[in-house]
Amino acid sequence: IGQRGGRERVRAGLAELLMACGLGLLHLLLGQLCSQLLGTFGNSMQHHLDPQTDNGSWEPEETQDNDSVVSAHTLLFSLDYQHVQVPFEITLWIMLASLAKIGFHVYNKMPTVVPESCLLIFVGLIMGGLIYSLNDQSPPIMDSDIFFLYLLPPIVLEAGYFMPSRPFFENIGTILLYAVVGTMWNAFGIGLSLYGLCQVKYFNLQDVSLLHNLWFGSLIAAVDPVAVLSVFEEIHVNEKLHILVFGESLLNDAVTVVLYKLFKSFNEMPSIKLVDILAAMGKFFLVGIGGVFIGFVFGMFAAFTTRFTKTIRVIEPLFVFLYSYLSYLTAEMFHLSGIVA
């Protein structure tokens, strides 16, 4: 009876997982289908409705047959997908990721087979393949500004808000050593190694410059040990080891973003001089220290404001989000580290 019940639970979990993924796929495919059909729909409507510039009003266009006149007043149903395309598709992406997360936790054996982050990557690959197969002319909007201004801040806030602060600051020296020196060692090591491989004539990649290799190295130097941290929490590993890995994974993102933007600015320069390199080194430390200062100022404002919210507790979570997001945006406005802030 126990084995039968276990099999039934596994079967039910698989059914719910497939149902969740199926709903997400259906939502996304409907969105893509609407975006493709609206082009034909809009062209056909524009063929019948012609704006008259002499009287400033919209008048129906008459065809050769006077009886077949299409009037705009007879349209009881209209569809304007382009007006809501960007927020609609972003919401669908978040909905799909949430449904995949639900299915991941419903099926109890899934975490032993594949980590959660790998599952989300797999779901993203499936969605990207479907969009590519549909030959969509207007894919979902996703660029670096959307990532840095809307997606990254809540991720950093979640990591910093639930961080055990006391062990973190007790081991801040070791964490900074791993996060700053270790990440820079990874970035330059990967970039220089790839540049050495590009010089091999067999690969025919001599046109790839050292700057581009360093740029790529800064992009993948930061390691996000999500799976390792989840294993640490399950086996209750030593607290010091856990905070070292966790703190390094939190701060190395800031180092990577700074390195990435520095190499990007170098790539836009016609020529790089010694003064530019020295200025970049100074800016590297200025970005980190400035981010700490911005975060400290907004933290003091948040602490002062929440002194007066004893009778209105409902507004306190709003202050947490607002001050955190404002610190991030203010740091980015002054080209400082929003992650550190």
Side-chain angles (χ1 to χ4, degrees), residues 307-325:
R307 289 184 58 189
F308 306 97
T309 58
K310 185 177 181 179
T311 58
I312 43 174
R313 298 286 188 182
V314 69
I315 204 172
E316 288 180 346
L318 185 61
F319 281 126
V320 172
F321 288 106
L322 288 179
Y323 279 116
S324 302
Y325 193 44

Side-chain angles (χ1 to χ4, degrees), residues 171-250:
N171 301 276
I172 188 65
T174 309
I175 292 174
L176 287 176
L177 181 64
Y178 287 148
V180 180
V181 180
T183 304
M184 293 181 65
W185 177 271
N186 283 341
F188 284 96
I190 293 172
L192 293 174
S193 301
L194 289 178
Y195 180 71
L197 290 175
C198 290
Q199 300 308 308
V200 179
K201 295 182 179 180
Y202 177 78
F203 298 110
N204 195 20
L205 294 173
Q206 288 83 4
D207 56 338
V208 182
S209 64
L210 175 61
L211 180 58
H212 287 168
N213 284 288
L214 292 175
W215 196 0
F216 176 77
S218 67
L219 187 65
I220 64 171
V223 180
D224 194 6
V226 177
V228 176
L229 290 174
S230 63
V231 172
F232 281 0
E233 293 177 357
E234 291 177 1
I235 65 177
H236 302 287
V237 77
N238 181 270
E239 184 182 14
K240 185 175 182 179
L241 178 60
H242 182 274
I243 196 63
L244 288 178
V245 177
F246 179 81
E248 190 273 338
S249 66
L250 180 63

